[in-house]
Amino acid sequence: MDPVLVEVIRGGLTESRHRGAVAVVDTDGAVAFQAGDIDTAVFPRSAVKALQALPLVESGAADRLRLSAAEIALACASHAGEPLHAAAAEAMLRKAGRDAASLECGAHWPSSQAAALALAASGGRAGALHNNCSGKHAGFICLACDRGDDPAGYVRPEHPTMQRVTAALAEMTGTALDARNRGIDGCSIPTFAIPLRALALAFARFGTGRFLPADRAAAAARIRAAVAAHPVMVGGTGKFDTEVMTALGARAFVKVGAEGVHCGALPDLGLGIAVKCDDGAGRAAELVMATMLARFLGEAALERWQRPVLRNWNGIEVGALRAAACLA
Amino acid sequence: MDPVLVEVIRGGLTESRHRGAVAVVDTDGAVAFQAGDIDTAVFPRSAVKALQALPLVESGAADRLRLSAAEIALACASHAGEPLHAAAAEAMLRKAGRDAASLECGAHWPSSQAAALALAASGGRAGALHNNCSGKHAGFICLACDRGDDPAGYVRPEHPTMQRVTAALAEMTGTALDARNRGIDGCSIPTFAIPLRALALAFARFGTGRFLPADRAAAAARIRAAVAAHPVMVGGTGKFDTEVMTALGARAFVKVGAEGVHCGALPDLGLGIAVKCDDGAGRAAELVMATMLARFLGEAALERWQRPVLRNWNGIEVGALRAAACLA
């Protein structure tokens, strides 16, 4: 039974509560902090996009196709579908000799309400470039084209590109990934259930390069630097990951996943972090991640993420989210 | 510790789980079904709008202002901000000699993405009429104006209109409502924490009129008939409450509230229902409500709400929500 990690307060009473688990692990696998069950496998969803982007960089494809740092950051993104995100995804595809028709992620309106409304106001429509995963998919297409593979069907587990991506994820997490722990993600690629302990270890190593082959360690450093230089590409205006990495720079890498997952790395401390809220609530996962970042970095800049205030449509403060005592 | 009521399945594994409580109670207060803790107070939020609309009807204000059945239904709504909702709220205000400037609910874009995008595409902007609570607020303004009270400040606990509304809620639920159990709702009116057992009892009586004064019983019947005749006014296109009441007609009254609350009445059976998901998840509260409706009404039309399928952006079935065994 996972403990309550986050409480939602209104009128001085607890209105809602979120249970979950969090693991903070060093590069040797030693647990620096733990709450809840960190050994049952959970679907990390988009929280592992940076690990899935490793083959694009370590294979040399990113260099041969002259992907910019901003484009490498977009390959790790769950972006808000703002114009700069759609444009960068399109540019990546162009460098691979492709266009948006090659994307197999499906179309949706930008997750940024402002971007969606502006798109509608300008007579635009939702397309695959606006899909929050379009940068990751553009990266897969770049990897396929660079290898001389036909990218068609790259979302399927048996496609050579997806096999390379899955192999990197399996190596980083030390977890066997196969049909037994496989689901289909929102963008149609496979997602594999992996314990939080293994996810945190993978991010500790991603953040430091320790225990990784030289080319993979270099690729991880390159991806971290790209994200730290272009945090807006990884999320978007006002998004947690973008705001936190804008504040902390290269001191922290953080990445959201659907259904209440958040993963991160603290390179200077050699730590990886993995969070899963049992109920899938992103608001709680963000608060847990902010609490872990503040705990290990002692960073005052995270105050607004650690103690979010709830305001209503008139801007009146009506409540707050707060971390439960077990995270203190 | 509330039990798991709903599981989210992906790839054959449980990805997320929702705990919560549900009470089904008859007009005497006898419990027909229970799971979890039904005696701790929870904020019902918008799930009690129909009870808050009783003074508008029982006072005669709705008749004197010639409110239509559709407008009475809108007074109970958390609507999607579609054009018919905004127009009806505006018409209610006009009948009170007022306009949207009197609304104190705050402005937001329609919760219907289609309506929001269409509004943006037509050059429109978010206004208070699009606020999902604008019908309820228009009803409060109608009540105030009919009584000769200045509606200004009607959202405050001490305003005579809000005192009438709060008195009706206190009488229906048999619960003392004061500063000790009061919070501020998303639309700025007071919300009071009330146990699920008391909420279910209130809806059992709302659904039947039993143990209510004659004018209140008549008002409840009038509101139920208005909602059954105009279910689209209470929610909107594709919304759970609208779809379920379109399917079931006057056999069920159901109403969503924020943070995982759902209340309902089964008039023919003399039962009231109240659901709260601990984590505030509406997707789980809907499934619990659908499961209760099917349990007591034996209704095959609810199948799609009882076993919702999760599809991704390509329309591929990737998972499902399912009721836990304790609800069977």
Side-chain angles (χ1 to χ4, degrees):
Chain A
M1 170 72 63
D2 284 334
V4 172
L5 300 183
V6 173
E7 293 177 308
V8 182
I9 308 300
R10 181 179 299 264
L13 304 174
T14 299
E15 179 167 32
S16 300
R17 48 186 63 74
H18 299 283
R19 294 176 179 276
V22 51
V24 185
V25 171
D26 72 15
T27 53
D28 291 315
V31 174
F33 182 84
Q34 167 180 5
D37 171 10
I38 65 172
D39 291 309
T40 296
V42 302
F43 286 112
R45 310 290 300 274
S46 291
V48 292
K49 280 177 175 171
L51 309 182
Q52 293 168 312
L54 286 166
L56 174 67
V57 178
E58 71 193 14
S59 68
D63 284 331
R64 283 187 291 274
L65 295 176
R66 304 189 187 196
L67 297 189
S68 68
E71 290 161 356
I72 290 173
L74 193 76
C76 309
S78 294
H79 66 71
E82 296 172 273
L84 85 169
H85 301 124
E90 194 164 34
M92 292 172 73
L93 291 165
R94 201 178 309 120
K95 290 176 179 179
R98 296 277 168 166
D99 62 20
S102 293
L103 290 171
E104 299 181 3
C105 49
H108 65 71
W109 286 88
S111 70
S112 156
Q113 187 185 49
L117 295 169
L119 182 63
S122 70
R125 325 180 37 159
L129 291 170
H130 304 115
N131 185 306
N132 75 89
C133 297
S134 69
K136 175 183 70 177
H137 281 245
F140 294 155
I141 292 167
C142 285
L143 179 59
C145 291
D146 177 71
R147 300 277 308 193
D149 293 329
D150 180 355
Y154 68 86
V155 296
R156 292 203 302 270
E158 64 276 15
H159 190 282
T161 297
M162 195 52 61
Q163 292 208 332
R164 282 187 189 92
V165 169
T166 301
L169 185 59
E171 290 156 14
M172 291 298 292
T173 60
T175 303
L177 306 181
D178 54 40
R180 289 170 298 179
N181 55 1
R182 191 173 71 209
I184 303 171
D185 213 324
C187 64
S188 295
I189 72 162
T191 179
F192 296 93
I194 300 169
L196 292 178
R197 185 194 295 273
L199 289 165
L201 176 62
F203 276 95
R205 293 176 174 180
F206 172 80
T208 58
R210 282 179 218 149
F211 303 107
L212 299 183
D215 58 343
R216 177 156 295 170
R222 180 97 174 269
I223 290 171
R224 294 199 318 273
V227 168
H230 302 278
V232 74
M233 300 307 283
V234 178
T237 307
K239 300 280 187 185
F240 178 91
D241 291 345
T242 295
E243 298 262 323
V244 164
M245 292 194 286
T246 299
L248 300 180
R251 298 172 61 200
F253 172 88
V254 289
K255 182 66 189 66
V256 68
E259 289 290 331
V261 176
H262 228 110
C263 288
L266 304 177
D268 300 342
L269 303 179
L271 296 174
I273 306 171
V275 180
K276 165 72 182 179
C277 289
D278 294 357
D279 52 60
R283 65 181 179 181
E286 287 182 353
L287 195 154
V288 174
M289 178 56 81
T291 303
M292 291 298 107
L293 294 173
R295 180 188 181 101
F296 287 97
L297 295 177
E299 180 56 64
L302 297 165
E303 178 70 20
R304 68 174 271 225
W305 298 103
Q306 272 187 275
R307 293 175 188 79
V309 168
L310 300 177
R311 294 184 184 280
N312 74 5
W313 296 112
N314 284 318
I316 299 168
E317 183 172 331
V318 295
L321 272 65
R322 70 179 180 202
C326 68
L327 295 180
Chain B
M1 169 75 60
D2 284 334
V4 171
L5 299 183
V6 173
E7 292 177 307
V8 182
I9 309 299
R10 181 180 299 264
L13 304 174
T14 299
E15 180 167 30
S16 300
R17 46 186 64 75
H18 299 282
R19 295 177 179 275
V22 51
V24 185
V25 171
D26 72 14
T27 54
D28 291 315
V31 174
F33 183 84
Q34 166 180 4
D37 170 10
I38 65 172
D39 291 308
T40 296
V42 303
F43 287 112
R45 310 290 301 273
S46 290
V48 293
K49 279 176 174 170
L51 309 182
Q52 293 169 312
L54 287 166
L56 174 67
V57 178
E58 71 192 13
S59 68
D63 283 331
R64 283 186 292 274
L65 294 177
R66 303 189 185 193
L67 298 190
S68 68
E71 289 161 356
I72 289 172
L74 193 76
C76 308
S78 294
H79 65 72
E82 295 172 274
L84 83 168
H85 301 125
E90 194 165 33
M92 292 172 73
L93 291 165
R94 201 179 310 120
K95 290 176 179 179
R98 296 278 169 164
D99 62 21
S102 293
L103 290 171
E104 298 181 3
C105 48
H108 65 70
W109 286 88
S111 70
S112 156
Q113 188 186 50
L117 295 169
L119 182 63
S122 70
R125 325 180 38 160
L129 291 169
H130 304 114
N131 186 306
N132 75 88
C133 298
S134 69
K136 175 183 69 176
H137 281 245
F140 294 156
I141 292 167
C142 285
L143 179 59
C145 291
D146 177 71
R147 299 276 309 190
D149 293 329
D150 180 354
Y154 68 85
V155 296
R156 292 203 303 269
E158 65 275 16
H159 190 282
T161 297
M162 196 51 62
Q163 292 207 331
R164 283 189 188 90
V165 169
T166 302
L169 185 60
E171 290 156 14
M172 291 298 291
T173 59
T175 304
L177 306 181
D178 55 40
R180 288 169 300 179
N181 55 2
R182 190 172 71 208
I184 303 172
D185 213 325
C187 65
S188 295
I189 72 162
T191 179
F192 295 93
I194 299 169
L196 291 178
R197 184 193 296 273
L199 289 165
L201 177 61
F203 276 95
R205 294 177 173 180
F206 172 80
T208 58
R210 282 179 219 148
F211 302 108
L212 299 183
D215 59 343
R216 176 156 295 172
R222 180 98 173 269
I223 290 172
R224 293 199 319 272
V227 168
H230 302 278
V232 73
M233 300 307 283
V234 177
T237 307
K239 299 281 186 184
F240 178 91
D241 291 343
T242 294
E243 299 262 322
V244 165
M245 292 194 285
T246 299
L248 300 180
R251 297 173 61 203
F253 172 88
V254 288
K255 181 66 187 69
V256 67
E259 289 289 331
V261 176
H262 229 110
C263 288
L266 304 177
D268 300 342
L269 303 179
L271 296 174
I273 305 171
V275 179
K276 164 72 182 179
C277 288
D278 294 357
D279 52 61
R283 65 180 179 182
E286 287 181 354
L287 195 154
V288 174
M289 178 57 80
T291 303
M292 291 298 107
L293 294 173
R295 180 188 181 100
F296 287 97
L297 295 178
E299 180 56 64
L302 297 165
E303 178 71 18
R304 66 175 273 225
W305 298 103
Q306 273 187 274
R307 293 174 189 79
V309 169
L310 299 176
R311 294 186 185 279
N312 72 6
W313 297 112
N314 285 318
I316 300 169
E317 183 172 332
V318 295
L321 272 64
R322 69 180 179 201
C326 68
L327 295 181

